[in-house]
């Protein structure tokens, strides 16, 4: 790429490059044969709505169906071998460059980062950094309190009403977080009788937070101290459900 950045022309090109992907390569990384060609040869992979993929190569454009294991190229359709296009699609799915069959590309509702979600899931999308699963241990960025996530509400901060009848987005402590952010319910770790286990969280008072106000927590030493009351089994349950 020799064009300079920051000119109107290059801006336009970057928009085009996003919708029509440029051909890229992967390092050969010691592979041989078709797998090596799948990595080294410039190809552009584009998902279709039906779960198949268009693979553009220097030698032609083919449609690969990774679930059926078929491709429209001669190697697959005539010689019935697992061609370099099928291999390349698999490599790009594994690298999270394209959605897997049954997934679609979406944008994180907090940071806009590209993320892949189930095709027919219309809840707000979140990237790995901003998504929380029930049982995740998180820290409130405002108060530094430890909480456990109970559930995603499926609502935005500017449509989610707390028990006090106030919109989540209208709280002063939420001024630093987007009004559009998905809201999660969480309970304070202090309020959880940890011997009761994660299932007991369902009965505790829940509080609502915009997604990015909750920071995923690794159970480091300080956090381990904070949940010292936990039995070993509950603690391991919490550790298993906290994000990596
Ligand atoms: Zn092929
Ligand atoms: Zn994000």
């Amino acid at each position: 790429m020799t064009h300079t950045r920051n000119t109107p022309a290059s801006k336009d090109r970057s928009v085009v490059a996003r919708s029509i992907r440029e051909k890229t390569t992967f390092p050969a990384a010691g592979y041989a044969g078709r797998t090596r060609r799948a990595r080294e040869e410039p190809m552009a992979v584009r998902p279709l709505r039906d779960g198949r993929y268009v693979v553009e190569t220097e030698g032609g454009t083919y449609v690969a169906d990774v679930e059926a294991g078929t491709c429209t190229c001669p190697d697959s359709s005539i010689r019935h071998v697992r061609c370099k296009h099928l291999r390349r699609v698999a490599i790009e799915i594994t690298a999270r460059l394209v959605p897997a069959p049954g997934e679609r590309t979406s944008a994180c509702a907090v940071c806009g980062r590209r993320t892949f979600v189930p095709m027919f899931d219309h809840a707000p999308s979140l990237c790995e950094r901003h998504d929380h699963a029930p049982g995740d241990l998180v820290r409130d960025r405002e108060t530094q309190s430890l909480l456990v996530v109970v559930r995603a509400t499926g609502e935005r901060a500017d449509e989610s009403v707390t028990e006090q009848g106030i919109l989540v987005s209208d709280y002063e402590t939420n001024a630093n977080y987007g009004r559009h952010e998905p809201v999660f319910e969480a309970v304070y770790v202090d309020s959880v009788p940890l011997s009761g286990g994660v299932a007991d969280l369902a009965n505790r008072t829940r509080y609502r937070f915009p997604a990015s106000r909750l920071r995923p927590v690794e159970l480091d030493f300080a956090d381990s101290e904070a949940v010292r009351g936990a039995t070993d089994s509950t603690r391991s349950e919490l550790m298993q459900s906290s994000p990596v």
Side-chain angles (χ1 to χ4, degrees), residues 108 110-111 113 127 130:
C108 172
V110 173
C111 65
R113 197 173 146 212
C127 70
H130 291 123

Side-chain angles (χ1 to χ4, degrees), residues 28-40:
Y31 291 100
R34 284 189 178 83
T35 301
R36 185 189 182 100
R37 293 201 289 282
R39 299 177 67 91
E40 271 192 327

